[in-house]
Amino acid sequence: MHTGMLNAMSSDSSSGSSSSERAAHALMRGELVAFPTETVYGLGADAANSVAVARIYAAKGRPSNHPVIVHVAKPEDITSWCTDIPDQAWRLAEALWPGPLTLILKRHPDVDTAVSGGQSTIGVRCPAHPVARELLTMFAELKQKTNEVRAGVAAPSANRFGRVSPTRAQHVRSEFVDLVARGMPVLEGGDSEVGIESTIIDLSSVSSGGAPALLRPGAISAEQVQAVLGQSVIGHQASSPRVSGSLKAHYAPSTPLALCESGERHEKVSAWLAAHVGEGRLALLTRDPDRVAPSTRVVVIGMPGDALAYAQVLYATLRELDEMGVATAMVENVPNEPAWAGVRDRLARAAAAFEGDR
Ligand code: TXA
Ligand code: MG
């Protein structure tokens, strides 16, 4: 159980309505709500309300042709958002939902295109975090009372476009100071357990003979998906639908960041120190901190040796870099192995934001 969630709930008990309930009512009014999920915190709006969805784009500074994911309380709720749902989707939902997996399916013809960035497909996910589930369930109940068929919360990660995703409520509050000052609810849910965004699998073309495709790696590996489907999953295709996280430069901190392979760590760090005399310190993120030669100009940040544990702390660590006052960061790359695919992808994108910068 998340301690933050317990705090949020107990502090609310005197008022008679939980913070999730108040947030669900805010969603009904077309307002934005930030909430925790097991991957990262989301910035949510009523997915059936195009004015509310437009508020997400405005708040994030995100181009309106980038689709957002619709979060649902129960797997079967996707039937009001998607059409032509293949058996593969139900098998994945059965095995891996609620959880850190997003499915791209064909958009139901009655669903407004605002949420899908104008595309004929739609991303859906049933998250596992108890606070997210509570919010989604309460929102679905309110929708049902008004006889609305579609209950879903459109939510990208609660960060400004191109920045590091939030894994704590405090990250969200510092990212959207103005919205919070104007009363946007930020539900507390402790540190996100997964720490990087959901795995995205595109199933939108399987009913016409296409293969399932991995659009974004995450904690659920392509291998796990293949094992459930008994069918191979192809990597990102040039013809796949647009994914904003697949822009090369994304998920970046403000501190310049470069990647190095383990074998070249010493050489790269020495070269930076020699070329930037009197220009401050370098932060080195490594899974092997004990083997780094001590230096007053190098801040060594030890990272976990396990892929899931590394993912969990990655974004919080990138945000901390910005507060440490270091001149630059060097990240020792992680193994090129399936279990590390999600972390490798995010590190590569964070570094790509600074390529040609130095
Ligand atoms: O873990 C997550 O997925 C988090 C939490 C909040 O659920 N959400 C998240 O949302 O990462 P966002 O908007 O930051 O990233 C969603 C990704 C984007 O890259 C978007 O382009 C892609 O999903 N996406 C959504 N709908 C899509 C569609 N119809 N076709 C292709 N990509 C889609
Ligand atoms: Mg995002």
Side-chain angles (χ1 to χ4, degrees), residues 104 200-206 210-216 232-237 240-241:
I104 307 296
I200 303 183
I201 299 288
D202 182 7
L203 296 174
S204 63
S205 64
V206 298
L214 174 72
L215 299 191
R216 180 173 71 184
S232 55
V233 171
I234 55 175
H236 189 16
Q237 303 287 294
S240 301

Side-chain angles (χ1 to χ4, degrees), residues 82-156:
C82 312
T83 186
D84 211 0
I85 302 172
D87 180 48
Q88 284 92 333
W90 295 119
R91 294 225 299 278
L92 288 174
E94 169 80 27
L96 300 166
W97 274 356
L101 174 72
T102 294
L103 299 178
I104 307 296
L105 296 164
K106 287 193 180 137
R107 178 172 50 82
H108 192 291
D110 298 343
V111 171
D112 194 281
T113 55
V115 77
S116 66
Q119 303 191 49
S120 60
T121 57
I122 190 160
V124 284
R125 173 160 112 82
C126 181
H129 193 292
V131 174
R133 291 175 62 78
E134 183 179 58
L135 173 69
L136 292 168
T137 303
M138 286 178 172
F139 180 63
E141 282 166 11
L142 294 175
K143 281 273 171 175
Q144 210 170 20
K145 281 188 195 151
T146 59
N147 290 323
E148 285 188 64
V149 284
R150 273 181 200 93
V153 174

Side-chain angles (χ1 to χ4, degrees), residues 60 62 156-157 159 165 197 216 244 250-251:
K60 281 188 63 110
R62 179 181 193 163
S157 50
N159 53 281
S165 298
E197 301 80 355
R216 180 173 71 184
S244 69
H250 217 67
Y251 309 113

Side-chain angles (χ1 to χ4, degrees), residues 191-234:
D191 287 2
S192 295
E193 261 175 58
V194 173
I196 57 172
E197 301 80 355
S198 59
T199 302
I200 303 183
I201 299 288
D202 182 7
L203 296 174
S204 63
S205 64
V206 298
S207 53
S208 48
L214 174 72
L215 299 191
R216 180 173 71 184
I220 291 179
S221 67
E223 284 70 17
Q224 272 174 281
V225 172
Q226 285 177 174
V228 172
L229 296 181
Q231 178 179 10
S232 55
V233 171
I234 55 175

Side-chain angles (χ1 to χ4, degrees), residues 250-315:
H250 217 67
Y251 309 113
S254 304
T255 306
L257 183 150
L259 275 174
C260 69
E261 297 307 322
S262 298
E264 56 180 19
R265 177 182 68 198
H266 180 71
E267 181 195 333
K268 285 253 178 128
V269 169
S270 304
W272 187 90
L273 294 175
H276 299 86
V277 174
E279 292 178 35
R281 298 176 304 163
L282 171 146
L284 175 66
L285 275 66
T286 172
R287 288 171 296 125
D288 205 8
D290 298 337
R291 297 191 52 202
V292 180
S295 158
T296 51
R297 291 187 61 210
V298 179
V299 182
V300 180
I301 301 176
M303 297 297 284
D306 167 75
L308 294 178
Y310 194 115
Q312 196 172 44
V313 300
L314 175 60
Y315 288 153

